[in-house]
Amino acid sequence: MPVITGSVEQVIYRNPVNGHSVVEISDESGPVTIVGILPELSCGELIRAEGPFVTHSSYGQQLRVEHFAFCRPEGLRAMERYLASGVIKGVGPQLAARIISTFQEESFHIMESDPRALARVPGISIKGARKIQAQMLEKMELRDALIYMDGLGIPLPLATRIFERYGAALYTVLKENPYRLMDDLTRVGFKIADGIARQAGLEPDNEFRIKSGLHYAMMQALEAGHIFLPRASLLNFATELLNLSPELIGQAIDELAYDKRFVLREVAGVPAVYLSSMYYMEMDAASRLLALGREIPLQEEVLDRALEQIKSESPLPLNEQQLEAFRNGVSRGLSVITGGPGTGKTTVISAILHYFEEQEMRVELAAPTGRAAKRITETTGRPAKTIHRLLEYMGNPDEDKNGGASMHFTRNEANPLEADAVIVDEVSMVDLPLLHALLKAILPGTRVIFVGDADQLPSVGPGNVLKDIIRSGAVTTTALSRIYRQEEGSDIVINAHGIRRGEYIDPNKKSRDFLFIRRSHWEEAQAAVVKLVSESLPEYVEAAPGEIQVIAPSRKGPLGVEALNRLLQNALNPQGEGKRERAFPKGLFRTGDRLMQVKNNYQKEWTMGSGLNRRGGTGIFNGDMGILEEIRFFSQELVLLFDDERRAIYSFAEAEELELAYAITVHKSQGSEYPAVVLPLLNVPEPLMTRPLIYTAVTRAKSCVTVVGSPETFQKMVDNNTEQRRYSTLHLQLLDIRQ
């Protein structure tokens, strides 16, 4: 690859957050523009940049930096030019000339090591000499550190972050325990740290390596939804990861427990290992749930009058199950309402809201995601918030390193919610850390009502909250089973409950809202999906093409999310005059594209409104969707307008947090409702052929479900009620504390 060596003429642009820079340097042939993740540069610094030349559509030829190094000027003329450029504050052309004239080739050495000698130069005081020395040493430290880390194979963006975090201490960290990077820097996992450790010469059985590998294994378990791991599973995983003996790893597990980083318990007679933070979080959540669940005495005549008023105002009378749910909701500190689609959960919530408002109680409505909160607002007519916004999230830079176990909210024990009642919908999506944060902000005596469908997929994050609460029997629960919308002839609702019970769904039945389109080859299925979204369904359900959601079981394959997104992008948002586009690691983004945030970013700033109504905040969350408004090539930024009117700016480096959302996975669809849903089902991977997955997908549709592909595959998913087991013990904690 081309190598350019020259002095920095100007820093055209630098993003202070991620270091993305556009810099003009001058070499023997003239000015050259370089772009990439670079340390902070000053005019006059001599650098070497290596990488391919690329041609930008607006800014012409640039060198994209893949390897970078600082160079020391050689020769008196180059040294004087370097100092005269202003790279050292307090040194201008005249002073540079005097320094070089006085010390010749020893000039840099004197500036770095002998401020008293430097102070003999006219115009430099001893105080000024020490300031010059400090700057020279700082630049020397950065240059030497980058050279050292380059020798360990550490890429420049990470090397820059390591230097900023540790300074001169980085040598000790990298030689003795590179695994500290996992704790101190975001986006550094075990495999990166382990690669650095190997280059630094650490032995495979190093204590830091074994314990960091075990912690990594537990973090992987959290990402898979587990609160603990059987000790045997942890041993097997770590043995394969570290290529060490089980005896050595078992000894490290015991030491981590002795250091209180792990908790060892037996679960149903099986030795289990928890991260300490998750074990005590689960225990505390169970204790707080039980503290909320006491009975609240009510005057029966007040309750009866409220029920009579609700009956007179409601078009449909509450059935016995709904009446029970209503009574439990208003008379218990904590209750759960569960049921499938069309069973009247919203009717009960509305009745409870009506009662609370009649009693002049302050009520908060919340849900895990913005789309779910928007649905509650539409169905109840009352404003709802995401749980994060309800708790006033303040951002937490450590979130990636602990699985969300120490999320920081303004609302907590010291500053609880000012509410008499809190109603939370879509609780199947709530993971243990979010449940714990919510419970810490609720005072005993507040009525709390959890609403959700226990047959849907569990949360993306760790835990099995709703199922565990119901399973424990320690919290008053009402299960709604009578299907109201069945009378309206909705096959979506009828079939959803049939799926839940594992019944046969007739693909040949004529239906207006549950359709099967048989296709036996993936190319035919792809064409059918594109035509449905772009042509057939928008008019049929009276919605824009962008409101039709394709939900696929898997990411990979010809009918996976990635392939379908490329096809749908070209159909719904093709290239056009005035549209900008850019390729990113996750695909090509074009202005007008529908994008989704795919990881929680608690620090991401957003704004909403304009002028005097303009306000802002932080936090964009996994599953939030929006439209790409702008691509700014010069500043290397994307501007995204989310569905709830929040606007956020992403650097190009942050584009890894986004992906096209014309097609999404079933997990990403949780908590949302769409006018129509298209389900491509053909050659689905075996682990995804499950009833909870197809049930969750079907229940996302409001007006129409269209299955494209194989009805046989659909039925196999209905027949398979096996779930990937989640290791959680909230139900056992509830039972233990209650007893």
Side-chain angles (χ1 to χ4, degrees):
M1 290 186 291
V3 178
I4 300 293
T5 300
S7 60
V8 175
E9 296 294 333
Q10 63 170 323
V11 179
I12 300 171
Y13 170 81
R14 186 174 193 272
N15 185 319
V17 176
N18 60 28
H20 179 84
S21 305
V22 181
V23 178
E24 183 182 292
I25 66 174
S26 179
D27 73 346
E28 296 175 352
S29 61
V32 177
T33 301
I34 65 172
V35 296
I37 306 296
L38 301 172
E40 192 166 0
L41 299 174
S42 301
C43 290
E45 289 187 297
L46 192 64
I47 65 172
R48 188 181 75 248
E50 180 180 352
F53 276 105
V54 295
T55 302
H56 192 282
S57 58
S58 301
Y59 305 112
Q61 193 177 60
Q62 303 172 332
L63 184 133
R64 188 175 68 226
V65 180
E66 295 189 0
H67 298 283
F68 169 91
F70 286 101
C71 300
R72 199 176 183 95
E74 295 181 359
L76 296 180
R77 183 177 178 185
M79 293 167 67
E80 182 178 340
R81 184 173 181 273
Y82 173 79
L83 293 177
S85 69
V87 69
I88 303 297
K89 292 179 181 177
V91 179
Q94 291 182 351
L95 200 52
R98 288 201 291 271
I99 293 171
I100 298 300
S101 175
T102 303
F103 300 113
Q104 300 291 304
E105 287 83 358
E106 292 295 307
S107 295
F108 283 10
H109 175 70
I110 295 295
M111 294 173 75
E112 293 165 354
S113 61
D114 195 346
R116 290 189 178 278
L118 185 61
R120 291 199 294 268
V121 175
I124 302 179
S125 66
I126 186 66
K127 184 178 179 181
R130 290 197 176 106
K131 288 183 178 179
I132 291 171
Q133 180 192 33
Q135 293 181 69
M136 292 292 290
L137 289 176
E138 183 181 351
K139 292 184 180 299
M140 182 176 68
E141 284 178 4
L142 176 57
R143 181 183 68 243
D144 293 345
L146 292 180
I147 292 171
Y148 173 75
M149 288 188 279
D150 186 61
L152 295 179
I154 300 174
L156 177 64
L158 178 56
T160 302
R161 292 171 62 209
I162 291 172
F163 181 82
E164 290 172 354
R165 175 65 177 82
Y166 301 111
L170 70 89
Y171 300 98
T172 302
V173 171
L174 296 179
K175 287 176 182 175
E176 296 181 0
N177 181 16
Y179 302 97
R180 268 188 63 183
L181 302 179
M182 298 167 59
D183 296 324
D184 296 341
L185 297 175
T186 57
R187 301 190 300 280
V188 176
F190 177 78
K191 293 179 180 178
I192 292 175
D194 202 37
I196 294 171
R198 286 199 303 271
Q199 290 291 328
L202 266 72
E203 295 297 326
D205 60 353
N206 179 279
E207 176 187 0
F208 293 125
R209 180 173 187 263
I210 298 172
K211 291 182 177 179
S212 296
L214 283 166
H215 187 265
Y216 169 76
M218 293 303 295
M219 295 303 297
Q220 292 294 104
L222 284 184
E223 289 191 13
H226 304 302
I227 301 299
F228 72 91
L229 278 181
R231 185 179 176 116
S233 299
L234 178 58
L235 274 172
N236 290 338
F237 183 95
T239 299
E240 184 174 342
L241 174 71
L242 301 170
N243 195 26
L244 295 172
S245 70
E247 292 75 20
L248 203 57
I249 293 169
Q251 180 182 339
I253 292 174
D254 293 334
E255 290 174 1
L256 286 164
Y258 182 80
D259 293 338
K260 302 190 185 309
R261 292 174 64 185
F262 284 0
V263 171
L264 307 182
R265 290 289 185 271
E266 277 202 357
V267 177
V270 176
V273 184
Y274 298 76
L275 284 172
S276 295
S277 59
M278 300 308 292
Y279 177 80
Y280 291 110
M281 179 188 295
E282 192 178 63
M283 179 186 289
D284 192 51
S287 178
R288 291 175 185 275
L289 285 168
L290 291 173
L292 288 171
R294 62 185 181 84
E295 188 167 358
I296 299 173
L298 295 175
Q299 295 180 348
E300 284 296 323
E301 59 270 21
V302 174
L303 197 55
D304 290 339
R305 282 201 305 271
L307 282 171
E308 286 301 322
Q309 185 176 354
I310 289 167
K311 288 178 183 178
S312 65
E313 294 177 358
S314 177
L316 290 173
L318 298 180
N319 62 33
E320 287 301 315
Q321 292 175 343
Q322 291 173 317
L323 286 171
E324 179 188 357
F326 174 84
R327 283 185 173 275
N328 290 336
V330 301
S331 64
R332 305 290 305 184
L334 174 65
S335 64
V336 173
I337 302 171
T338 185
T343 54
K345 296 190 296 293
T346 302
T347 302
V348 178
I349 294 173
S350 297
I352 292 172
L353 280 169
H354 182 84
Y355 173 82
F356 286 159
E357 290 164 355
E358 285 291 309
Q359 301 301 309
E360 298 183 347
M361 294 168 62
R362 291 167 298 179
V363 184
E364 291 284 3
L365 279 173
T369 67
R371 296 184 70 87
K374 185 177 179 182
R375 283 181 61 196
I376 306 172
T377 299
E378 292 170 349
T379 54
T380 66
R382 279 86 163 182
K385 304 172 184 175
T386 64
I387 299 174
H388 285 86
R389 197 169 294 177
L390 175 68
L391 299 180
E392 298 173 19
Y393 193 83
M394 291 297 291
N396 172 31
D398 296 332
E399 183 271 339
D400 286 340
K401 297 176 298 209
N402 55 31
S406 61
M407 292 188 289
H408 177 66
F409 294 96
T410 301
R411 294 291 181 176
N412 49 39
E413 303 101 319
N415 182 31
L417 292 169
E418 298 172 0
D420 300 305
V422 178
I423 301 174
V424 184
D425 198 11
E426 296 287 357
V427 179
S428 65
M429 299 176 65
V430 175
D431 60 20
L432 179 66
L434 189 56
L435 172 74
H436 188 239
L438 176 64
L439 294 174
K440 287 199 296 182
I442 297 175
L443 288 171
T446 306
R447 291 178 176 84
V448 178
I449 301 165
F450 289 154
V451 185
D453 186 346
D455 292 307
Q456 288 188 23
L457 290 170
S459 60
V460 174
N464 213 2
V465 166
L466 182 60
K467 285 187 178 180
D468 276 358
I469 290 174
I470 295 171
R471 181 182 176 187
S472 73
V475 177
T476 302
T477 301
T478 310
L480 305 179
S481 57
R482 180 182 172 185
I483 308 171
Y484 271 92
R485 281 195 285 176
Q486 185 168 349
E487 288 87 350
E488 301 171 15
S490 169
D491 283 327
I492 296 176
V493 173
I494 294 170
N495 288 346
H497 286 273
I499 292 167
R500 185 175 57 82
R501 294 188 293 266
E503 297 173 355
Y504 174 70
I505 308 300
D506 185 1
N508 299 311
K509 177 185 175 183
K510 291 188 180 298
S511 173
R512 59 182 175 83
D513 63 0
F514 207 103
L515 315 172
F516 285 87
I517 297 179
R518 294 177 183 269
R519 295 291 185 269
S520 57
H521 193 272
W522 62 264
E523 288 181 329
E524 297 172 343
Q526 282 183 342
V529 168
V530 171
K531 185 174 181 180
L532 282 165
V533 175
S534 60
E535 299 177 22
S536 310
L537 285 174
E539 184 178 353
Y540 186 66
V541 298
E542 298 180 349
E547 296 177 286
I548 312 299
Q549 189 62 60
V550 177
I551 301 177
S554 69
R555 297 188 57 81
K556 303 296 182 181
L559 291 179
V561 164
E562 295 174 3
L564 290 174
N565 265 320
R566 291 191 292 270
L567 292 170
L568 291 165
Q569 179 190 47
N570 290 331
L572 300 178
N573 187 33
Q575 286 181 317
E577 189 175 347
K579 289 184 182 179
R580 289 187 165 191
E581 60 182 46
R582 188 185 190 279
F584 293 97
K586 288 194 174 181
L588 180 77
F589 292 171
R590 184 177 294 141
T591 52
D593 274 338
R594 186 153 188 77
L595 301 180
M596 172 186 280
Q597 178 83 13
V598 295
K599 62 173 287 188
N600 289 336
N601 185 336
Y602 298 110
Q603 274 66 56
K604 173 54 65 181
E605 295 181 354
W606 53 262
T607 59
M608 179 183 287
S610 59
L612 295 176
N613 295 321
R614 181 184 174 89
R615 61 187 181 88
T618 59
I620 303 293
F621 301 109
N622 191 349
D624 288 351
M625 288 189 185
I627 299 297
L628 181 57
E629 281 191 324
E630 288 184 69
I631 300 177
R632 299 170 177 172
F633 286 113
F634 183 76
S635 58
Q636 306 277 294
E637 293 172 334
L638 306 173
V639 182
L640 198 59
L641 179 65
F642 287 93
D643 291 345
D644 58 4
E645 302 302 318
R646 289 176 299 158
R647 183 175 279 105
I649 298 175
Y650 292 74
S651 69
F652 280 4
E654 292 173 316
E656 65 178 10
E657 298 180 7
L658 302 169
E659 62 182 37
L660 294 172
Y662 301 103
I664 61 176
T665 62
V666 180
H667 263 114
K668 296 293 186 188
S669 74
Q670 283 183 272
S672 301
E673 187 177 64
Y674 308 98
V677 165
V678 178
L679 304 177
L681 299 178
L682 196 65
N683 300 323
V684 175
E686 196 66 31
L688 301 174
M689 296 271 289
T690 67
R691 185 185 301 171
L693 190 137
I694 195 65
Y695 174 78
T696 302
V698 164
T699 53
R700 300 307 91 209
K702 184 177 182 180
S703 301
C704 185
V705 171
T706 306
V707 179
V708 177
S710 166
E712 292 74 24
T713 298
F714 177 90
Q715 192 60 44
K716 284 180 181 178
M717 296 178 76
V718 173
D719 294 340
N720 180 18
N721 198 31
T722 59
E723 294 183 61
Q724 181 185 6
R725 182 176 179 183
R726 284 203 167 191
Y727 295 115
S728 64
T729 44
L730 180 62
H731 60 296
L732 297 178
Q733 301 265 32
L734 284 165
L735 291 172
D736 287 347
I737 295 171
R738 187 174 70 168
Q739 290 170 3

